[in-house]
Amino acid sequence: MSELSVRFAGIPFKNPVTVASGTFAFGREYVDFFDLSRLGGIAVKGLTYTERQGNRPPRIAETPMGMLNSIGLQNPGYRAFIETELPWLRRFDTVLIANITGATPREYAEMAEALGGAGLDLIEINVSCPNVKEGGALFGASAGGITEVVTACRRATDAKLMVKLSPNVTDIAEMAKAAEAAGADALSLINTLLGMRIDIATRRPILGNNLGGLSGPAVRPVAVRMVYQVAQAVRLPILGMGGIATADDALEFLLAGATAVAVGTATIVDPLAPIRVLEGLERHLHSTGESVGDIIGAVQMN
Amino acid sequence: MPPILEQGTIRRAERLCHNVIDLRIESPRIAREVQPGQFVHIKCADDLLLRRPISVCDVEDGQLRLIVEVAGAGTRWLYGRRAGEVLDLLGPLGDRGFPTPDARGGPVLLLGGGCGVAPLLLAAKCSPVAVDMVMGFTEKCRVIMEQDFKSCCRSLTVCTDDGSYGTAGFVSQAALRLLEQEDYQAVFSCGSMAMLKSVVQAVERADIPCYLSLDERMGCGLGACLGCAVKLRGEGGAEHYGHVCKQGPVFELREVVWDV
């Protein structure tokens, strides 16, 4: 088992397989399927300063080997999370990752401070949700915006900060450098790619919110490319995600330079997907005799 | 009851009419637990990412009976299945199906449109009181499951929009006539959104509970991804988004906010 463990931003993970924010709620729906303590980490549903009801339906549209979503961060607010969900989640022996989206740098900072104070291992700063109008992706769309939010959070807490980067930018490496310079401890990527589907009969977008974020296997090559580019540009550890459904997919991200991975949309299809990825990874390492660390960033370019 | 992942072998696949198939699937663990109105979430073709939610029509001898009408790529794949093939099932899902009628209360009125008649069969079979069924279809060649309902309902009214079979007109019109004659304890309904809205208009005036099985584009089926949102009215009248997969798929009509 030990060959699976990694250190990520100084935090020991028993294995590099986590579940991505927004695809796992607060974990309660999955205890019927497997022991959550088997996961390397759990990124909980995106939290906002106050409760949000989310966007009007339809919120989901299938695409070729992918899906568009426009949930719109429906969540009870970060205080309710700390009071009602966190005590329950603590029973599991896994790294807990909060995910926060603020309308202003100040909201981000207050949430980071409170969640750090509540003992969260890692705080994922979401500057890349494409489905909310205020804040979120607006900050992630420019290096200046990222600097502003990360600086505010860094001042507010000593907790480990991980910035979730948007793929909807011209040069993701520039965004990664801005996060590193502002004091981030880690990066996670990619969030969803902004997309749209149109119902040709009604001539209207399928999603109630018109646009949505694309995820699933369809985005995987884009995500692997971005993880590689970011890994070349910064020294921060990377939590790689984007369409991971199998151990082979996870290995691609590790080879590209990710230290850990997150399974997201695959869990929506198969509740056991994170465990299948983990077990497949275990088998692979057993067969090659390597540890996870041997694989991270081991891609040999042509 | 926690949801179960089960590989179910199709024992019978019978075409009921164009684009509608009747599947009997060996799935003993799910079949043992399923309640009227609940659904199973089915993985379709390898190149289709998301599962498809299908209401359970009936259970018998460890087999699930599902009626599937082609509405898109997933249901088209299901329509092409044959006996002997295996389906990846997740179920039973939905915290609330159709409620069990009060054994000491009046009869129950069931209103189904098209393939929406399917989940009403299990509700009819499980009812401790008499049920009257009204089923509506666009035309004669679309009529399905008439014998199934005849054998378990006190009365059966078949409507067609064009009058080519049974009573001419909509389910809601036949429902209005029955609601005037009989003291029902509840109405259960399932069908297209257009049909449900006409049912809502017909039943709203009668002061009895009306339970509707809703459909929405769905992700996980477990209440985690929050995809299949439906606008609900809470206790104090405040509106909020619930989720068809978890809080439903059956809702009382007065708790649903009907956006036009």
Side-chain angles (χ1 to χ4, degrees):
Chain A
M1 290 296 282
S2 60
E3 72 270 24
L4 277 168
S5 67
V6 292
R7 277 190 91 78
F8 184 89
I11 302 166
F13 279 60
K14 66 173 71 167
N15 68 65
V17 180
T18 72
V19 287
S21 177
T23 61
F24 208 69
F26 300 117
R28 294 184 191 268
E29 291 76 9
Y30 292 94
V31 291
D32 295 328
F33 297 98
F34 63 89
D35 176 5
L36 305 194
S37 295
R38 293 186 69 187
L39 295 168
I42 296 173
V44 299
K45 172 67 184 172
L47 303 168
T48 50
Y49 197 71
T50 51
E51 178 187 0
R52 280 183 67 93
Q53 279 298 316
N55 292 329
R56 60 186 286 197
R59 293 176 172 184
I60 285 185
E62 192 177 58
T63 66
M65 284 320 282
M67 65 176 259
L68 286 171
N69 88 79
S70 64
I71 309 300
L73 290 175
Q74 181 169 12
N75 82 96
Y78 80 100
R79 291 185 195 89
F81 165 75
I82 291 172
E83 281 162 28
T84 62
E85 303 295 338
L86 187 56
W88 179 83
L89 271 167
R90 282 195 204 280
R91 74 190 62 190
F92 301 103
D93 176 25
T94 184
V95 175
L96 295 180
I97 307 168
N99 175 291
I100 57 171
T101 299
T104 61
R106 191 193 168 120
E107 281 190 7
Y108 275 104
E110 275 190 48
M111 287 189 278
E113 184 180 8
L115 289 159
L120 266 292
D121 302 302
L122 189 55
I123 296 167
E124 185 174 46
I125 302 173
N126 185 357
V127 285
S128 46
C129 177
N131 294 322
V132 291
K133 286 191 182 68
E134 65 286 346
L138 279 179
F139 292 110
S142 72
I146 289 174
T147 303
E148 210 184 336
V149 170
V150 177
T151 303
C153 292
R154 184 72 290 162
R155 283 197 194 116
T157 181
D158 292 330
K160 298 292 182 186
L161 299 176
M162 175 167 74
V163 181
K164 188 163 191 176
L165 298 177
S166 170
N168 305 307
V169 293
T170 309
D171 183 357
I172 196 165
E174 287 307 309
M175 306 302 146
K177 286 179 193 167
E180 183 174 48
D185 300 291
L187 301 171
S188 54
L189 60 145
I190 60 174
N191 206 320
T192 55
L193 281 150
L194 195 57
M196 181 179 186
R197 271 200 66 196
I198 296 171
D199 181 330
I200 58 169
T202 62
R203 300 193 169 190
R204 287 175 174 277
I206 290 176
L207 295 176
N209 200 43
N210 299 322
L211 310 184
L214 181 65
S215 65
V219 310
R220 195 192 311 134
V222 177
V224 171
R225 181 265 293 179
M226 288 185 157
V227 165
Y228 174 74
Q229 288 179 324
V230 168
Q232 299 303 305
V234 298
R235 297 176 65 87
L236 299 178
I238 296 167
L239 177 64
M241 69 191 83
I244 296 175
T246 67
D248 286 4
D249 302 339
L251 285 162
E252 276 199 61
F253 280 82
L254 295 171
L255 287 166
T259 298
V261 296
V263 180
T265 301
T267 313
I268 290 176
V269 182
D270 176 5
L272 290 173
I275 296 303
R276 293 191 210 283
V277 170
L278 173 60
E279 289 176 348
L281 205 54
E282 221 170 340
R283 277 195 300 275
H284 177 87
L285 294 174
H286 189 76
S287 69
T288 63
E290 291 171 295
S291 68
V292 177
D294 298 329
I295 295 170
I296 297 168
V299 63
Q300 298 282 325
M301 300 304 277
N302 299 320
Chain B
M1 178 61 211
I4 298 160
L5 280 162
E6 191 168 41
Q7 301 292 310
T9 303
I10 299 170
R11 293 298 173 206
R12 217 172 97 193
E14 183 190 350
R15 212 181 91 153
L16 296 185
C17 65
H18 179 64
N19 278 350
V20 177
I21 195 161
D22 182 347
L23 299 170
R24 315 286 175 122
I25 305 158
E26 187 84 32
S27 181
R29 292 166 60 217
I30 294 175
R32 193 182 308 129
E33 303 297 339
V34 75
Q35 299 294 316
Q38 286 191 304
F39 65 95
V40 288
H41 217 18
I42 310 176
K43 182 81 180 91
C44 296
D46 285 343
D47 61 351
L48 294 175
L49 184 67
L50 300 173
R51 289 175 184 269
R52 300 298 195 271
I54 306 288
S55 283
V56 175
C57 167
D58 199 1
V59 283
E60 211 173 354
D61 301 331
Q63 292 186 12
L64 296 171
R65 183 180 182 193
L66 307 177
I67 308 293
V68 179
E69 179 170 26
V70 176
T75 45
R76 182 165 297 287
W77 182 85
L78 285 169
Y79 182 65
R81 293 313 93 208
R82 295 292 170 260
E85 295 182 321
V86 175
L87 296 177
D88 179 342
L89 307 168
L90 173 61
L93 299 179
D95 281 357
R96 278 195 306 179
F98 292 110
T100 305
D102 181 350
R104 293 156 303 175
V108 171
L109 178 61
L110 308 182
L111 307 174
C115 277
V117 301
L120 298 173
L121 183 64
L122 190 56
K125 285 188 168 182
C126 294
S127 174
V129 297
V131 294
D132 292 329
M133 172 76 180
V134 181
M135 56 207 297
F137 304 91
T138 51
E139 54 187 320
K140 184 181 178 183
C141 67
R142 307 299 300 165
V143 176
I144 57 168
M145 297 179 68
E146 194 180 358
Q147 284 309 317
D148 290 299
F149 282 99
K150 209 169 250 176
S151 62
C152 64
C153 297
R154 180 178 70 175
S155 78
L156 175 65
T157 309
V158 183
C159 308
T160 50
D161 297 355
D162 66 355
S164 55
Y165 187 77
T167 309
F170 297 134
V171 168
S172 51
Q173 295 165 321
L176 275 177
R177 289 192 289 273
L178 287 166
L179 284 163
E180 280 168 20
Q181 296 164 13
E182 180 66 75
D183 212 6
Y184 292 105
Q185 64 167 295
V187 175
F188 296 172
S189 186
C190 183
S192 67
M193 196 39 93
M195 181 258 177
L196 288 182
K197 281 184 177 171
S198 71
V199 164
V200 167
Q201 283 180 341
V203 179
E204 239 170 1
R205 277 169 277 175
D207 188 26
I208 53 173
C210 177
Y211 297 93
L212 309 166
S213 177
L214 300 185
D215 197 13
E216 184 52 76
R217 285 172 185 266
M218 194 175 283
C220 66
L222 303 169
C225 78
L226 311 182
C228 52
V230 54
K231 196 179 272 184
L232 303 177
R233 194 174 284 113
E235 295 277 313
E239 293 179 1
H240 67 282
Y241 281 120
H243 300 93
V244 171
C245 73
K246 186 73 177 168
Q247 284 103 324
V250 175
F251 295 87
E252 207 283 315
L253 83 84
R254 289 159 193 89
E255 67 182 320
V256 177
V257 178
W258 298 91
D259 287 334
V260 183

